[in-house]
Structures are given as C-alpha cells and as structure tokens.
Amino acid sequence: MLTNTRNPWFFSVLLLILSYYVACFSAAGDTLSAAESLSVSESLVSQGSIFELGFFKPGTSSNIYLGIWYKNFDVKVKDISIVWVANRENPLTQPSSSRLELSEDGNLILLDRSSKKPFWSTNLAFPMSNSTEAIIGDDGNFVLRDKYNVSTIFWESFDHPTDTLLPGGKLRIDKITGKSKQLISWKNSEDPAPGMFSFGLDPNEGSQYILEWNRSQSYWSSGIWNGRFFNLAPEMTQNSIFNYSFVSNENESYFSYSLNNNTFIPSRFVINFSGMIQQQMWLAGHCIWNIFWFQPRQKSNVYALCGAFGMSHENVSNPCQCLQGFEPFSVQDTKLNDWSGGCVRKSPLQCEDSMNTNGERDWFLKKSNVRLPVNSKANLTGSATTCELACMKKCSCAAYAYNSSSGCMIWEGALLNLQQLSDGGEAGQDIYLRLSASEHRSTSLQGNKWKVWVIVCVLLPATALLSWLCICFLSKGKAKPKGEKDSSNDLRLFDFSAEIHAINDGSNTKDCLKKRGKKDVELPLFSYESVSAATNNFSDANKLGEGGFGPVYKGKLLKGQEIAVKMLSKRSGQGLEEFRNEITLIAKLQHRNLVRLLGCCIELDENILIYEYMPNKSLDFFLFDPTKKQMLDWRARFHIIEGVAQGLLYLHQYSRVRIIQRSKTQ
C-alpha cells in the first residue's frame, strides 16, 4: 500500500525532471549552444524572423538536407525560398535520428545515429575554445563564433555559398591563399547536389566573372568592371533598387550587392540549374520571384544545355530533346529539366557491337538547318562522299558535315551544343548523324507504313467522297446555335472586350474544363498553339517571373491587347484538382479591383491560365523605388487604399463564394 501511494508522486517528479532536461538540451531561438542539438522537427529563426535554418526535403525527394530559407513565404513550395544548403553532396535519410550539434572541439557537425562519421561538418582544424555557439542572422548568414567574444568569427556560411548570393555576401577570391568562392547550381529542382554550372571570378582576368560548364568550359563572361557595372551586363543599372560593387585590393577581390536606402525586400542573386544567372526580388502580392535581369539572354547560349546527343530548340519552354536513335540517359532527370546526363544510343553501332555478324553497315541521317556542334575536327577531303567515308572508317566518329566553304568536318565522341534553328532566322547548315543499321530498318518500316496508307487513300477516293457528301447533306441547314464556338479558340484572335462583359453577365457557355468533366466554370478554352504564339513560344524575353506554381509570361494578341499567361509547373505539387479549384474560384470572383481570369488552356498535359495583364506591375515596384515612389502622392495612395478596401469587402461580403483570407499580404 505504501508503494502504490508514492508511485504517482514519483512519476510526476520524474516527468518534470525529464521535461527540464529536454528543454535545456534542445535548441531554441536563433542560437545553437554547446550541449544543445537541433532535430529534424526543430529550427532556428533569426531575431527579426527573416531567415530560418532547419531541415527540408526538396520536391518529392525523400532525402533530408540542412538549409537556410526565407521565412514566412506564403507558398506551398518551400524549395523556391532556399538560399543555402549544408550537406548538398551527402543527404540524410533517417529523420528520427538526424541532428545538428556542436562537437567537443567546437565544430558544427551533422549526425545520423546510423553512421559514426558526420554527414557534414565545419571541419576547422585550428584550436577553438569549447565556448563556441552558432547563430543565424537577419542577413541570412549562419555564423560559428566565440560565445564570450562575439566578434571572433571562426566560420560563416557566407564564405561557403551554394547557388545563391544574398545582399551583403561576397563572391570573392583570397589573393593570399589563392582560394576562390563560386556559386554552383543545383543538379535539378529536386536535387541540391552540385550541378554542371558555376559562376565565379575569371582566374585569367581578375576583374570579370564567368559562367562555366563542368568547372572547365567558359560560355559567358561579364566583361570588366567599369565602376558601376560589368561591361557585358548593362542590365545591372536598369533599376535603382540594387547597388552593386566590385572591390579589388592586395588581399582580395570580390563582387557584392545591397539594397538602396536600407529597405528590406527578399532578394537573391542565383545561378539556376539551366546555367543562367538571375537577379531576383520577391513579390509578396504575387508569390513569385520577379526577375530583374539575367544572363545569358538566350538559353541556347548555355554550353551543353541538352547534354550529349541532345538537341536544343529556340524559344520553347522545354528546349531539349534527344536526337533520333537516342534516348535520355535518365528519364526521371529529364522530367525535372536536368539534361546533364544527355542521351545514349538505343542500338550500338556496327563497329561497337562484337555480336553483329549480319554485315549490316551503319548509316547517316541528315539533319537540316542546324547550328553545328562544338569541337569539330577538320578533315582534308575533296568531296562529300570522301568526307562520309572518312567518318565511317572511324568508330569514334559520330557525325560529319560538308560544305564548299568549310570543307569536311567530323565529330568524334559526344555531340554537344547541337541546335535546331527556326525558319526565317539564322541560316543553318546540314549535319549527317551516324546511326546503327537497326535504326535504318525502323525508319524504313515507318516509311513503308506511310506508303500503305497513301495507297489505301488513293484506292478508296470514291468512298471518301461519298461519305463527305452524305455528311454535308445531313448537316445542311443545321447551323450552330448563336454564341456556340469551336472547342478550342485562337487566343490571338479573341475579343476580350466582349468576353469580359459575357463573363460578368454569365452568358458565356464555353466551359474551360469540359474536357476534364468539370461543368461549373464558364470560361473560353484556347489552343496550346495559339497561347504559344502569343507568348513568342514562351520565350525568356517574355517571362515576367516565376513562383511555386510555375512561370508567368507576357503575351500579346493581334489587336495589341496584352495578357498574362500562367503555366502550371509539373513540379509545383499542384494537381488537376487544385487547378480546377483555382479556375472555379477565380472565375466566380469578378470585380473591377480584382485581376480577371480571361480563359485557360488544357492541352498536351499543360494546364495554363490566361489573366488580365497589369502593365503597372506590383505596388512594390513603386513603393520601394526612390524615384517612382514620388509618383504616389497622398491622393493616389488614398485612391489605392480605397480600391484595396473595396476589393476586400467584395471578397468577404458580396462574392458568390466564401473566401478565407489566410495571408495578410494577399
């Protein structure tokens, strides 16, 4: 009896002790101290709640990484706000046992219970006191310092950038040690491992920066610094928001930037996994990164954009595809627009296949109007025939080209930078691609099938004509009801001035989701071809920005009206149901102070929304620009506030659907 009465008291005290123990040895706030650890479910938040350090899983990946990101972004996809990754080459896999802590020698270490060796460490060899602490600052810099002398910095994340340079960071070279810092792209949107592209100071010209492929092949240079910007990047001065600087002295050279007038707007300078550098600023009202400038101006100028035996196409959103006779090295990677693995042959060449005893020879496929690959070798032959024979004699020869001015050129090994040019533009050349005999048989079979179809069509013209006459007779006099249109409209020819009136009146009968079984939304449906034409084939020059849902492009109709085209990204995590919900909701919200949804496109596995274009951009564009904000006098500001209030009143009181506003920045 005595034992039973004491047990509840004993366990209550034990529970309090354990709770105190956990509180003492778990990280909190912005600082990680000795004897504390940071688990997968915990994070450090900077004092001003601007940045957060913790663990994340990119996209659909199950790998776990320690990183830093902008906090409080009102989007579903955290990946787009990540600015630094610690263990990008060595991901964790066990969420229950992974942790960040300070070792006995003062280093930061990332551990997993299944491994005795750290997955990542600051790895400082010089002696440090056992009073180190790590803190995440409001500038996004993660610092390892002396707890009792905070000015003593042992290590900082700004000295070890990944793909992003934040305001105040330095992309530098230490002239004393010779060590340089580079921005290195992610492998793809779901893998932060080092990709093929990098950006850093040119070792041969100390006052300019270069973009490189595979840390070896330069394909763009900034030009030298002229005191305000780099000569080959004049776009840097097209706005007054960012202040750039380049410093070179006897100890170091570095490039850095800041925001003018000490304003805070989430921004970043990043190299993406497509090999382009971009200066971005976050537009909270639109939940996208607004791209201020980027280089190179054309994706086709990125070296080996489509990898080995891949061909790039101009002015399309997905520019890469494998050449005939080849297939992606990794289908999964190419779905994420990662073409670093390139393409591989479907069938080996005769000279590569020791089992080939039927004597069938390789053959050459002609590809016309192309920009030739790099790294060709000249061959002194007198004609196209001898050029072909010279290539056939070498098993390593993958292609050849011949013209009267350049003579014979052959390519050995992988083909890189092969580009299909568009008609009416730059004059291209012909190249002859070497393929196996089995690919020739496959091509011949396809040709024979086509001949059979032609013969059938020729033998049965009377039947086809008779069928056509019958259809015409039966349909004669059956005109379409007034207002009925084709199932797919040409966006460029559409009259939105009349359509907006029809939407407001509820008289438009075209259903944007009719093909998908959704009948409660009344919007015009447009063809993918016409949407592509209106945006100049989704060209980078028309790109307005990109968010968690995907990119946004500016389009123009034949009558001159401008529109905004929002393309749902396949990596956004938003499925068909979410797409339906967005159309259903926005189509029912029609108010003069809300951006109108004008139509949509559902074709070729693409989900696209057509919006009213706002030529004055975001309010942020005026508020944080020292010059443009002068345009907003108090009368204009009052008018804007009144318009916002009217829109909110409509959403919460007078709209046909119930709206729950979860973000104060919407």
Side-chain angles (χ1 to χ4, degrees):
M1 295 295 293
L2 183 62
T3 304
N4 290 337
T5 57
R6 291 183 177 179
N7 275 340
W9 177 85
F10 172 77
F11 284 113
S12 298
V13 174
L14 181 61
L15 182 61
L16 288 172
I17 294 174
L18 289 174
S19 300
Y20 176 77
Y21 179 84
V22 171
C24 288
F25 292 94
S26 296
D30 61 354
T31 306
L32 181 70
S33 300
E36 293 181 343
S37 65
L38 191 73
S39 68
V40 170
S41 61
E42 298 173 316
S43 64
L44 301 179
V45 179
S46 66
Q47 188 174 12
S49 294
I50 298 174
F51 288 96
E52 185 172 9
L53 178 140
F55 296 87
F56 71 96
K57 294 180 180 179
T60 59
S61 172
S62 60
N63 291 330
I64 303 171
Y65 299 89
L66 175 71
I68 300 173
W69 56 87
Y70 275 106
K71 185 174 171 55
N72 296 327
F73 271 27
D74 187 27
V75 290
K76 294 181 180 179
V77 186
K78 181 191 294 183
D79 305 7
I80 67 170
S81 65
I82 294 168
V83 298
W84 182 78
V85 184
N87 56 319
R88 63 188 308 193
E89 298 183 73
N90 199 10
L92 298 158
T93 57
Q94 302 296 327
S96 61
S97 59
S98 301
R99 65 191 186 279
L100 175 70
E101 62 183 37
L102 289 164
S103 64
E104 293 181 356
D105 62 2
N107 274 295
L108 279 167
I109 54 175
L110 190 59
L111 297 172
D112 187 320
R113 191 176 301 166
S114 62
S115 175
K116 295 182 180 180
K117 185 179 179 181
F119 279 69
W120 173 83
S121 171
T122 50
N123 198 30
L124 300 175
F126 55 85
M128 293 185 295
S129 66
N130 57 4
S131 61
T132 57
E133 64 176 9
I135 183 171
I136 177 70
D138 279 337
D139 57 356
N141 193 15
F142 188 42
V143 172
L144 182 65
R145 67 186 186 185
D146 191 311
K147 181 177 183 179
Y148 300 110
N149 185 8
V150 295
S151 63
T152 302
I153 305 297
F154 300 114
W155 177 94
E156 55 186 325
S157 61
F158 271 13
D159 277 344
H160 304 272
T162 50
D163 67 329
T164 302
L165 184 69
L166 291 172
K170 297 179 180 180
L171 201 57
R172 61 189 290 268
I173 182 170
D174 189 322
K175 294 182 179 180
I176 298 175
T177 63
K179 294 182 178 180
S180 63
K181 307 299 180 183
Q182 291 181 312
L183 299 183
I184 300 177
S185 68
W186 282 31
K187 189 176 184 296
N188 56 53
S189 60
E190 296 189 356
D191 188 353
M196 298 298 293
F197 304 104
S198 60
F199 178 74
L201 198 62
D202 186 351
N204 300 317
E205 173 54 65
S207 60
Q208 73 173 7
Y209 284 78
I210 57 173
L211 281 166
E212 288 185 304
W213 172 80
N214 202 27
R215 320 294 181 267
S216 58
Q217 179 66 50
S218 172
Y219 60 90
W220 180 84
S221 64
S222 67
I224 62 174
W225 179 257
N226 63 13
R228 294 179 56 236
F229 57 89
F230 293 106
N231 280 339
L232 300 182
E235 304 92 339
M236 297 172 68
T237 60
Q238 289 182 356
N239 68 83
S240 56
I241 297 177
F242 300 103
N243 179 38
Y244 298 98
S245 62
F246 178 75
V247 175
S248 182
N249 53 46
E250 59 182 7
N251 296 321
E252 62 178 355
S253 294
Y254 65 85
F255 162 68
S256 184
Y257 75 99
S258 61
L259 275 70
N260 284 320
N261 299 328
N262 295 319
T263 56
F264 170 73
I265 307 173
S267 60
R268 64 180 185 178
F269 180 88
V270 63
I271 178 171
N272 63 24
F273 53 84
S274 297
M276 306 175 79
I277 53 171
Q278 297 177 339
Q279 179 68 71
Q280 303 175 346
M281 187 179 77
W282 183 251
L283 298 182
H286 299 275
C287 292
I288 61 171
W289 284 108
N290 184 50
I291 302 173
F292 275 83
W293 62 272
F294 60 92
Q295 287 287 355
R297 295 294 297 173
Q298 296 293 332
K299 283 186 178 180
S300 57
N301 292 333
V302 176
Y303 190 87
L305 174 66
C306 300
F309 298 107
M311 174 177 280
S312 66
H313 297 258
E314 292 183 314
N315 298 326
V316 292
S317 57
N318 297 310
C320 296
Q321 70 176 45
C322 290
L323 292 167
Q324 182 176 332
F326 294 79
E327 59 188 359
F329 176 76
S330 171
V331 175
Q332 182 62 34
D333 286 348
T334 54
K335 287 181 178 179
L336 298 171
N337 288 328
D338 174 16
W339 286 82
S340 57
C343 306
V344 294
R345 290 188 183 275
K346 295 179 180 178
S347 304
L349 299 175
Q350 180 193 36
C351 59
E352 296 174 337
D353 188 2
S354 60
M355 302 300 293
N356 187 347
T357 58
N358 57 17
E360 291 184 314
R361 297 185 61 188
D362 301 330
W363 64 292
F364 291 94
L365 174 68
K366 181 181 178 180
K367 299 290 292 184
S368 300
N369 196 29
V370 301
R371 182 179 293 161
L372 296 177
V374 296
N375 301 328
S376 63
K377 293 184 178 180
N379 190 283
L380 301 177
T381 58
S383 66
T385 302
T386 53
C387 187
E388 177 180 337
L389 290 174
C391 183
M392 188 68 76
K393 289 179 181 179
K394 292 186 176 183
C395 191
S396 59
C397 182
Y400 79 90
Y402 181 87
N403 59 63
S404 57
S405 59
S406 303
C408 177
M409 295 173 285
I410 64 174
W411 286 265
E412 297 183 22
L415 299 182
L416 297 173
N417 279 20
L418 180 62
Q419 183 182 351
Q420 182 70 64
L421 301 176
S422 56
D423 295 334
E426 174 187 343
Q429 300 185 53
D430 296 336
I431 190 172
Y432 295 84
L433 177 67
R434 187 174 187 172
L435 297 175
S436 67
S438 60
E439 287 296 327
H440 198 184
R441 289 196 302 271
S442 175
T443 304
S444 298
L445 286 173
Q446 292 177 4
N448 290 335
K449 289 180 180 179
W450 173 249
K451 291 177 182 178
V452 171
W453 281 108
V454 171
I455 292 173
V456 170
C457 291
V458 171
L459 291 177
L460 301 176
T463 304
L465 179 61
L466 182 61
S467 300
W468 180 76
L469 291 174
C470 290
I471 293 172
C472 290
F473 177 78
L474 292 174
S475 60
K476 185 178 181 180
K478 294 182 178 180
K480 293 181 180 180
K482 186 177 180 180
E484 184 177 340
K485 303 169 188 170
D486 295 336
S487 61
S488 181
N489 294 302
D490 189 328
L491 175 61
R492 297 169 299 170
L493 300 175
F494 210 75
D495 184 4
F496 280 116
S497 59
E499 187 64 22
I500 290 174
H501 176 74
I503 290 173
N504 289 332
D505 291 345
S507 60
N508 192 343
T509 60
K510 273 300 146 190
D511 186 353
C512 196
L513 288 179
K514 190 174 181 180
K515 292 185 177 182
R516 305 294 178 97
K518 195 74 175 179
K519 299 183 179 179
D520 58 347
V521 180
E522 298 172 349
L523 286 172
L525 176 68
F526 301 109
S527 68
Y528 179 82
E529 181 181 4
S530 66
V531 176
S532 177
T535 58
N536 193 19
N537 294 323
F538 302 102
S539 68
D540 290 329
N542 286 41
K543 194 171 185 179
L544 298 174
E546 185 165 358
F549 50 77
V552 179
Y553 297 89
K554 179 181 177 181
K556 194 170 185 178
L557 309 186
L558 293 181
K559 291 185 178 181
Q561 184 178 0
E562 294 176 322
I563 55 171
V565 177
K566 172 180 173 182
M567 176 178 287
L568 178 66
S569 171
K570 294 180 176 60
R571 71 179 184 89
S572 68
Q574 187 181 47
L576 177 59
E577 190 60 33
E578 289 86 351
F579 184 71
R580 286 174 173 171
N581 291 339
E582 181 166 358
I583 294 178
T584 302
L585 176 64
I586 301 177
K588 292 180 179 179
L589 298 176
Q590 298 297 334
H591 188 274
R592 64 189 300 270
N593 291 339
L594 298 178
V595 178
R596 287 188 177 93
L597 177 64
L598 304 177
C600 64
C601 170
I602 304 174
E603 189 178 329
L604 302 174
D605 294 328
E606 297 284 1
N607 294 327
I608 301 174
L609 296 176
I610 314 299
Y611 283 96
E612 181 183 12
Y613 176 68
M614 308 302 290
N616 290 332
K617 301 184 179 181
S618 169
L619 186 58
D620 299 2
F621 184 74
F622 291 88
L623 290 177
F624 299 107
D625 189 297
T627 303
K628 292 183 174 60
K629 71 179 182 181
Q630 302 299 326
M631 300 168 59
L632 300 178
D633 57 19
W634 282 112
R635 180 182 297 273
R637 291 172 187 253
F638 179 80
H639 183 68
I640 293 170
I641 294 170
E642 183 183 24
V644 172
Q646 290 176 354
L648 290 174
L649 181 64
Y650 166 76
L651 287 176
H652 294 296
Q653 186 168 340
Y654 298 114
S655 65
R656 289 185 290 169
V657 292
R658 185 177 297 275
I659 302 297
I660 300 176
Q661 186 176 354
R662 301 177 60 189
S663 170
K664 64 181 179 181
T665 61
Q666 284 180 336

